[in-house]
Amino acid sequence: MEWSRIKTIILMILAVTNVSLLGFLVQRELQAQNARQEARQNSIQFLENNGVTVEDETVPEEMTLLPQTVEWDREQEREAAAVLLGGEVQEQAWSDEIYRYYNETGSIQFHRDGTFQGEFVEGAFQLEGQDAAAYSLQILEILGIQGESLSVQADGGEEAAVTVVCRQLWNQVPVFNHLITLTFREDSLSAVAGRRLTGEPALDTGQKPISIPTALFQFYHGMVALGDVCSRIESITPGYVTSAGTGPSALTPVWYIATDTRNYRLDTLTGELSRAEESGA
């Protein structure tokens, strides 16, 4: 038999083998998807059987958020302070973990644990008819913080103070314990304070999220362990919380679960449930 014919037969055999293997892999993936979907539906039914209603579309289809770590970026802070305050700034180191930047416009101080606060001279940042919430997000953007506005509260006193509460977003995902308050007096920004995260993230490959069914089971059993009750899950919002420390900041993925009685935070790495204090709106 000619070599060309033998070669053609071998290629045909390899092609058939590859197609068969691909079909097997596709079938196995479909079976795995069906098994995951069935487990998800069973966990929703488990909640229903225990008196907790939740709509199918309320429950995430998969765990998309992974744990990350972020190194403290002091250079970014210095540059942000210079842009915000305008021009040259003086630097004052209170310690290896606290740095203050200031000039005639005001001052802003950053801490290694992510907290920061700033005070500004009257008239340096005038609203000039702008919406306070939108203007606050502009200030945060200058500081390298992507944010969303949660609330605006006006004080009708003599100083006509307006308080805007924002929350940091990390790649469009809320960081639930990173709330930032901006205070305006007489239509001028007077102070900002809160917690922020800056720097380059790195995935923490040493930890993996639990499954969707496990998360729902852990929610119910955690709620019972806390002595709480609810009859309906209103919403589930995936996001992050951070831990403070001397090393890199850890971004832990969580679910913010709003129910008809109170709100909770579920650690999607450990399944631990706790009552939530911050807003998940």
Side-chain angles (χ1 to χ4, degrees):
M1 183 180 295
E2 296 181 2
W3 169 244
S4 60
R5 293 188 61 189
I6 296 176
K7 184 177 179 181
T8 300
I9 293 173
I10 293 174
L11 291 175
M12 290 178 62
I13 292 174
L14 289 175
V16 171
T17 301
N18 287 336
V19 170
S20 299
L21 179 59
L22 178 61
F24 170 75
L25 293 176
V26 170
Q27 182 180 21
R28 190 169 67 174
E29 178 59 27
L30 288 175
Q31 290 174 344
Q33 288 181 5
N34 290 336
R36 288 194 295 269
Q37 185 61 27
E38 183 178 358
R40 181 177 177 276
Q41 291 301 322
N42 289 340
S43 61
I44 292 175
Q45 188 60 50
F46 167 80
L47 291 178
E48 296 273 358
N49 294 342
N50 285 276
V52 181
T53 301
V54 57
E55 299 295 336
D56 182 85
E57 58 268 20
T58 300
V59 180
E61 291 288 342
E62 57 183 337
M63 293 292 188
T64 58
L65 300 184
L66 301 175
Q68 302 179 37
T69 58
V70 182
E71 291 282 356
W72 185 28
D73 190 344
R74 245 197 10 96
E75 181 60 25
Q76 190 277 340
E77 290 177 345
R78 189 193 66 78
E79 293 175 356
V83 174
L84 179 65
L85 297 176
E88 293 294 326
V89 294
Q90 300 295 316
E91 179 179 311
Q92 185 177 19
W94 294 108
S95 69
D96 290 339
E97 299 186 357
I98 304 174
Y99 291 85
R100 178 175 178 265
Y101 304 91
Y102 63 95
N103 62 16
E104 65 279 1
T105 302
S107 66
I108 188 163
Q109 181 172 298
F110 296 100
H111 298 235
R112 188 183 185 90
D113 65 2
T115 57
F116 72 103
Q117 55 270 342
E119 295 182 351
F120 314 104
V121 300
E122 184 177 352
F125 298 96
Q126 286 288 139
L127 281 177
E128 296 180 347
Q130 297 184 68
D131 178 74
Y135 187 73
S136 295
L137 296 182
Q138 294 176 28
I139 295 295
L140 296 186
E141 186 176 354
I142 293 173
L143 291 171
I145 302 170
Q146 181 188 27
E148 61 180 343
S149 174
L150 296 182
S151 67
V152 179
Q153 183 175 354
D155 181 358
E158 294 181 359
E159 295 184 338
V162 175
T163 301
V164 180
V165 178
C166 299
R167 179 171 60 202
Q168 182 172 14
L169 301 177
W170 190 256
N171 293 327
Q172 302 296 330
V173 175
V175 184
F176 292 115
N177 61 337
H178 280 205
L179 300 181
I180 303 164
T181 301
L182 298 94
T183 303
F184 296 85
R185 300 187 187 280
E186 299 294 341
D187 290 335
S188 176
L189 179 64
S190 63
V192 60
R195 182 182 294 273
R196 92 285 173 262
L197 189 69
T198 60
E200 290 298 322
L203 287 178
D204 181 356
T205 57
Q207 302 182 84
K208 293 184 178 180
I210 58 180
S211 67
I212 299 294
T214 299
L216 294 178
F217 289 135
Q218 289 293 101
F219 162 73
Y220 178 77
H221 292 301
M223 183 181 64
V224 172
L226 290 170
D228 295 345
V229 293
C230 79
S231 62
R232 181 177 178 82
I233 294 177
E234 303 289 351
S235 65
I236 298 175
T237 306
Y240 285 110
V241 294
T242 62
S243 58
T246 57
S249 296
L251 278 161
T252 301
V254 299
W255 278 2
Y256 184 94
I257 304 175
T259 76
D260 58 339
T261 55
R262 67 182 311 149
N263 303 326
Y264 300 89
R265 208 166 65 192
L266 178 74
D267 186 321
T268 59
L269 297 181
T270 65
E272 180 181 358
L273 186 75
S274 59
R275 295 182 180 125
E277 297 179 358
E278 71 281 345
S279 172

